[in-house]
């Protein structure tokens, strides 16, 4: 964090951007290596952080994500004797009595537990309809490790909450408490088993009701979006999402036994092609599935990294280009719930983004609770309008082709607008943002030219049809809005006149304000330069007669010179930005 602050923010702002860019790739790679080593050494929640970063292939450089990929699946396994002792204590019997076979070598070792292949006893297998299972056993002592990590996070949150810039935007203690709640649930395997069954039921219900949504999506989507959207919608009309079945008889708070659903890892593009499955289709279906979880069901998988997602061919073949398949989610320890009011705000937000409606987008952000009371949203609306006009509809691959100077200038201006707004991240948005970030990263790895707009726009069309109930509902809603506006107009005019008479009416002139700020900055620089000159001249005059006084004045001139140079460099940067505007 300190390196990023120094090299990516501080140095470019004082005109040393080229210097900061030197060795950037090596610096990223070195930082990622050190973090990976630290995460494996500490274990626990640090590995969760590494998994999240390794999934951000859409915004993080490949030098970082490639280095952290190893954290997706493998950490050092616990010796089998420790696993056996814990599992037998939890199950109340020896493993040889609970299972026909139990593989000592783990299939995978993760941050909180490790998984072993096993075979159920014949009578249990006959009753359930499957024999091969995966037994997930918690790492001995992991509860204590998580407790230490959470205490450290709480301490850091307390420090950050004293920083005004952070406290105005995020309630860090509340955010950590939410993460603590989720983490403690994740080490309760009975809770995870219940989540798996709830997820499976939701997926089945979504598949049963998705046919009509598919038709609405196809009718409303643009030609550019139709290919991916129709793929996603038609895919969701069948049972395209599944979860492993739970063996409750062999499940306890620290041991979870479930159906073995191991298949093609979701980001294994080579294996997907070998099975006749189009990775682009997988990306579209996966994005649509996650949107359903977030915006319709309100119960979503909050840890959808490639290690927790399989693509399962239902009719394995190496010749068919359109092989039948479904997505299989695993690891339901980290799940999120979207309250109805937040879901309504998020639905409004995705519709506003699809329509490129900046005013509606600001209103949806207010509804979600990100913007605090008293925020001046007019400048934000103007910035969003410019954003949609220039970059709307572009995917990550297209953004890479945009002139770097133009993109940097626009992002700097947009950052200035957002930084001045009183915003705060509601605590229940943490898992949603985390999940969407992983979705974006995985889709970009499956399809380098993946364009999220191709999924957002048709999906928003489905939401619009559901919300408005067709054209009649649209007209009725607009009529109500018009009547409400008309009835409230006299009161608003009276309030405007009263404020004008009282001298309380203010006019927002952001460009003029920025230019005035630039002049003030220049004035401070000139004053510092004058002080520097005065100190130098005074010191030179006094030096022959009073050596101590002369030296003191010359030393005192140094801070004035440094401040003057820094201020003038900052003013030059602002002037360039204004000229671009």
């Amino acid at each position: 964090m300190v390196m990023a602050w120094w090299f990516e923010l501080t140095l470019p702002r004082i005109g040393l951007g080229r210097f900061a860019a030197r060795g950037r790739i090596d610096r990223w790679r070195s930082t990622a290596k050190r973090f990976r080593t630290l995460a494996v050494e500490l274990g626990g929640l640090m590995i969760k952080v590494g998994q999240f970063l390794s999934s951000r292939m859409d915004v993080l450089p490949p030098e970082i994500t490639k280095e952290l990929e190893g954290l997706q699946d493998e950490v050092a396994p616990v010796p089998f004797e420790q696993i056996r002792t814990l599992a037998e204590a939890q199950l109340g019997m020896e493993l040889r009595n609970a299972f026909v076979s139990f593989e000592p070598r783990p299939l995978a070792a993760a941050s909180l537990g490790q998984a072993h292949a096993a075979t159920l006893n014949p009578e249990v297998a006959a009753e359930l309809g499957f024999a091969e299972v995966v037994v997930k056993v918690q790492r001995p002592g992991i509860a204590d490790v998580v407790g230490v990590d959470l205490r450290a996070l709480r301490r850091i949150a307390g420090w950050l909450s004293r920083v005004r810039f952070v406290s105005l935007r995020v309630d860090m203690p509340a955010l950590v408490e939410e993460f603590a709640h989720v983490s403690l649930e994740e080490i309760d395997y009975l809770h995870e088993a219940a989540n798996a069954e709830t997820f499976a039921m939701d997926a089945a219900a979504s598949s049963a009701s998705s046919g009509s949504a598919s038709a609405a999506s196809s009718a409303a989507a643009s030609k550019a979006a139709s290919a991916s959207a129709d793929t996603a919608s038609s895919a969701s009309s069948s049972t395209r999402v599944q979860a492993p079945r739970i063996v409750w008889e062999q499940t306890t708070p620290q041991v979870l036994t479930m159906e073995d659903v191991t298949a093609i890892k979701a980001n294994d593009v080579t294996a997907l092609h070998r099975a006749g499955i189009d990775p682009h289709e997988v990306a579209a279906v996966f994005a649509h599935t996650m949107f359903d979880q977030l915006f319709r069901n309100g119960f979503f998988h909050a840890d959808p990294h490639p290690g927790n997602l399989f693509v399962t061919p239902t009719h394995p073949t190496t010749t068919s280009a359109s092989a039948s398949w479904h997505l299989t989610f695993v690891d339901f320890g980290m799940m999120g719930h979207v309250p109805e009011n937040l879901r309504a705000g998020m639905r409004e937000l995705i519709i506003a983004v699809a329509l490129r409606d900046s005013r509606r987008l600001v209103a949806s952000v207010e509804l979600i609770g990100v913007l605090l009371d008293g925020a001046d949203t007019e400048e934000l609306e103007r910035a969003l309008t410019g954003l949609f006009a220039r970059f709307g509809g572009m995917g990550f691959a297209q953004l890479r082709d945009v002139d770097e100077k133009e993109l940097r200038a626009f992002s700097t201006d947009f950052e200035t607008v957002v930084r001045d707004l009183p915003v705060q991240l509601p605590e229940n948005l943490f898992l949603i943002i985390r999940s969407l970030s992983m979705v974006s990263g995985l889709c970009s790895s499956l399809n380098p030219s993946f364009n999220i707009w191709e999924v957002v726009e048709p999906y928003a069309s489905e939401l619009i049809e559901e919300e408005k109930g067709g054209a009649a509902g649209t007209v009725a809603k607009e009529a109500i809005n018009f009547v409400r506006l008309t009835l409230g107009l006299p009161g608003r005019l009276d309030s405007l006149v009263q404020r004008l008479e009282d001298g309380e009416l203010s006019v927002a002139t952001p460009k003029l304000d920025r230019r005035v700020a630039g002049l003030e900055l220049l004035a401070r620089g000139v004053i510092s330069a004058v002080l520097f000159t005065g100190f130098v001249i005074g010191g030179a005059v006094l030096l022959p007669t009073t050596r101590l006084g002369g030296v003191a004045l010359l030393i005192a001139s140094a801070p004035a010179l440094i401040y003057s140079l820094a201020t003038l460099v900052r003013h030059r940067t602002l002037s360039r930005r204004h000229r671009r505007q």
Side-chain angles (χ1 to χ4, degrees):
M1 289 176 65
V2 171
M3 289 179 65
W5 170 80
W6 177 249
F7 284 102
E8 308 300 335
L9 295 177
T10 304
L11 292 183
R13 288 191 174 187
I14 61 174
L16 297 177
R18 290 186 179 180
F19 173 78
R22 295 177 186 171
R24 177 175 288 158
I25 301 300
D26 292 336
R27 190 166 61 245
W28 285 341
R29 189 179 291 112
S30 174
T31 301
K33 284 182 179 179
R34 290 200 305 272
F35 180 84
R36 178 178 176 177
T37 302
L38 178 68
V40 171
E41 179 184 345
L42 296 180
L45 301 183
M46 289 295 288
I47 292 178
K48 289 293 181 183
V49 175
Q51 289 175 347
F52 171 69
L53 294 175
S54 68
S55 71
R56 294 310 312 270
M57 287 167 280
D58 51 328
V59 295
L60 289 177
E63 290 77 16
I64 290 179
T65 58
K66 188 72 176 175
E67 187 62 39
L68 297 179
E69 273 182 0
L71 291 173
Q72 291 283 11
D73 297 305
E74 290 297 330
V75 295
V78 176
F80 180 66
E81 286 307 315
Q82 296 182 31
I83 293 295
R84 179 201 294 274
T85 301
L86 188 148
E88 291 180 346
Q90 286 284 306
L91 295 174
M93 64 179 76
E94 295 184 0
L95 290 181
R96 63 183 179 182
N97 295 328
F99 303 97
V100 171
S101 65
F102 193 99
E103 177 59 45
R105 178 177 296 179
L107 295 171
S111 56
L112 304 182
Q114 60 190 53
H116 294 259
T119 304
L120 295 174
N121 289 323
E123 57 274 17
V124 177
E127 181 182 348
L128 296 177
F130 59 91
E132 302 305 315
V133 295
V134 171
V135 182
K136 188 174 173 182
V137 183
Q138 202 171 101
R139 283 176 171 264
I142 191 62
D144 294 333
V145 174
V146 169
V148 170
D149 289 346
L150 290 177
R151 285 196 296 274
L153 287 174
R154 288 187 178 105
R155 180 169 296 183
I156 293 172
W159 293 340
L160 290 175
S161 65
R162 297 189 181 96
V163 180
R164 180 174 175 79
F165 178 82
V166 176
S167 62
L168 287 176
R169 287 157 175 78
V170 182
D171 186 348
M172 286 300 300
L175 200 62
V176 169
E177 288 310 314
E178 182 195 8
F179 184 68
H181 175 73
V182 171
S183 300
L184 293 174
E185 282 187 344
E186 198 170 0
I187 57 176
D188 179 0
Y189 286 171
L190 288 176
H191 184 79
E192 179 177 345
N195 283 343
E197 293 202 337
T198 302
F199 182 89
M201 289 188 290
D202 281 353
S206 294
S207 297
S209 62
S210 63
S212 58
S214 300
S217 171
S218 299
S222 64
K223 289 184 178 180
S226 291
S228 295
D230 291 345
T231 297
S233 298
S234 62
S236 62
S237 61
S238 60
T239 307
R240 273 287 170 100
V241 180
Q242 294 187 12
R245 289 171 285 181
I246 304 299
V247 183
W248 285 100
E249 293 79 2
Q250 269 91 19
T251 296
T252 73
Q254 292 178 283
V255 175
L256 173 59
T257 306
M258 55 190 165
E259 178 185 9
D260 187 354
V261 293
T262 306
I264 301 172
K265 190 177 175 182
N267 65 346
D268 191 343
V269 175
T270 302
L272 290 174
H273 281 303
R274 203 161 42 233
I277 299 172
D278 182 5
H280 295 192
E281 182 185 359
V282 174
V285 172
F286 174 55
H288 198 279
T289 296
M290 292 303 300
F291 281 8
D292 273 344
Q293 294 176 32
L294 287 164
F295 301 114
R296 286 200 172 97
N297 301 335
F299 182 66
F300 65 96
H301 199 297
D303 197 22
H305 64 75
N308 288 339
L309 186 65
F310 294 111
V311 179
T312 307
T314 52
H315 301 292
T317 176
T318 57
T319 59
S320 173
S322 57
S324 180
W325 56 273
H326 63 257
L327 292 173
T328 304
F329 286 78
V330 297
D331 194 350
F332 300 92
M334 187 178 290
M335 302 294 291
H337 295 268
V338 187
E340 183 57 41
N341 60 332
L342 178 58
R343 203 183 319 165
M346 290 171 56
R347 289 162 73 99
E348 276 292 304
L349 185 144
I350 197 172
I351 292 171
V353 169
L355 297 177
R356 321 293 205 268
D357 187 338
S358 57
R359 177 165 296 182
R360 188 169 185 173
L361 179 57
V362 172
S364 68
V365 172
E366 289 180 311
L367 182 62
I368 290 173
V370 173
L371 283 178
L372 301 180
D373 293 337
D376 183 4
T377 59
E378 292 184 5
E379 183 72 2
L380 179 59
E381 284 184 21
R382 283 192 287 269
L384 288 171
T385 300
L387 176 68
F388 287 140
R390 178 63 185 91
F391 304 111
M394 288 188 178
F396 293 112
Q398 293 168 300
L399 284 175
R400 295 189 189 103
D401 296 331
V402 176
D403 182 68
E404 186 180 352
K405 292 182 179 178
E406 178 188 3
L407 196 60
R408 187 186 298 116
F410 192 95
S411 63
T412 301
D413 293 339
F414 193 81
E415 177 192 358
T416 302
V417 172
V418 175
R419 188 173 57 234
D420 294 337
L421 289 172
V423 298
Q424 180 163 306
L425 186 67
E427 58 184 77
N428 48 15
L429 272 181
F430 171 73
L431 288 179
I432 296 172
I433 294 172
R434 184 182 194 276
S435 181
L436 287 175
S437 299
M438 290 187 170
V439 170
S440 180
L442 178 54
C443 288
S444 295
S445 70
L446 290 169
N447 180 5
S449 61
F450 178 76
N451 191 337
I452 192 67
W453 297 93
E454 295 180 2
V455 180
V456 168
E457 290 181 341
Y459 197 88
S461 299
E462 296 176 17
L463 296 180
I464 290 171
E465 291 302 317
E466 292 176 6
E467 292 287 333
K468 297 182 177 180
T474 302
V475 173
K477 188 172 182 178
E478 294 299 325
I480 292 172
N481 289 337
F482 178 76
V483 171
R484 185 183 296 115
L485 177 64
T486 304
L487 292 176
L489 191 58
R492 296 180 69 182
L493 287 174
D494 181 65
S495 174
L496 178 63
V497 172
Q498 185 65 43
R499 290 176 63 191
L500 185 61
E501 291 176 349
D502 295 341
E504 298 176 352
L505 187 64
S506 60
V507 179
T509 55
K511 289 188 177 180
L512 180 60
D513 292 343
R514 285 197 290 266
R515 293 192 180 278
V516 171
L519 290 175
E520 291 177 351
L521 195 63
L522 179 61
R524 290 199 295 270
V526 171
I527 291 172
S528 298
V530 171
L531 287 174
F532 165 72
T533 304
F535 282 136
V536 169
I537 293 175
V541 170
L542 290 176
L543 196 58
T545 57
T546 309
R547 185 174 182 82
L548 181 61
V551 171
L553 286 178
L554 290 174
I555 293 174
S557 69
L561 174 62
I562 294 172
Y563 182 78
S564 176
L565 290 175
T567 305
L568 291 175
V569 169
R570 177 63 177 159
H571 177 264
R572 186 180 179 184
T573 304
L574 289 174
S575 298
R576 287 177 179 173
R577 190 185 308 164
H578 292 156
R579 282 197 296 271
R580 292 193 197 104
Q581 294 174 344

